[in-house]
């Protein structure tokens, strides 16, 4: 089992959910949040919100899913970002689930 996470601007919720559906992920959660980027510092996540600074209405989608579905979503997100240069890419992460309760 994997924990699949997608982050994006709130306005891209329809696109993100379409990618989940296309990959066969039928059960997921959506949370709204505020993303913040300052011009301070640098590092690995410099382009998290593109080159824009400020506060952003954002979403976090997550699902506990199988390995193949999670990998499929990541591939679809990569393809979406290549085809749609919005300046605010979708981000997808897959984390291992080491243990669950019964």
């Amino acid at each position: 089992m994997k924990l699949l996470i997608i982050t994006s601007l709130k306005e891209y919720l329809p696109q993100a959910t379409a990618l989940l559906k296309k990959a066969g992920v039928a059960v997921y959660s959506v949370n709204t949040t505020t993303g913040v980027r300052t011009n301070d510092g640098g590092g690995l996540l410099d382009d998290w919100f593109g080159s824009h600074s400020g506060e952003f209405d954002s979403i976090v989608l997550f699902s506990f899913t199988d390995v193949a579905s999670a990998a499929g979503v990541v591939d679809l997100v990569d393809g979406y970002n290549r085809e749609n240069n919005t300046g605010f890419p979708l981000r997808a992460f897959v984390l291992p689930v080491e243990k669950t309760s019964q």
Side-chain angles (χ1 to χ4, degrees):
M1 180 186 316
K2 299 293 182 179
L3 172 57
L4 169 67
I5 302 169
I6 298 175
T7 63
S8 76
L9 292 181
K10 189 175 183 179
E11 65 192 74
Y12 298 125
L13 177 60
Q15 293 86 338
T17 57
L19 297 178
L20 289 169
K21 183 177 180 179
K22 187 173 183 178
V25 177
V27 178
Y28 56 89
S29 297
V30 179
N31 291 302
T32 59
T33 188
T34 301
V36 178
R37 178 180 175 172
T38 66
N39 284 328
D40 300 344
L44 177 64
L45 302 177
D46 282 343
D47 67 341
W48 188 261
F49 290 113
S51 59
H52 309 281
S53 295
E55 293 186 2
F56 303 88
D57 290 333
S58 302
I59 54 169
V60 177
L61 299 94
F62 67 93
S63 178
F64 294 96
T65 190
D66 61 84
V67 173
S69 295
V73 171
V74 172
D75 290 343
L76 289 169
V77 167
D78 285 341
Y80 173 86
N81 288 335
R82 279 192 301 275
E83 294 173 14
N84 300 280
N85 188 12
T86 65
F88 294 93
L90 276 67
R91 306 289 183 175
F93 308 89
V94 178
L95 303 172
V97 176
E98 299 295 328
K99 187 175 180 180
T100 64
S101 63
Q102 297 299 322

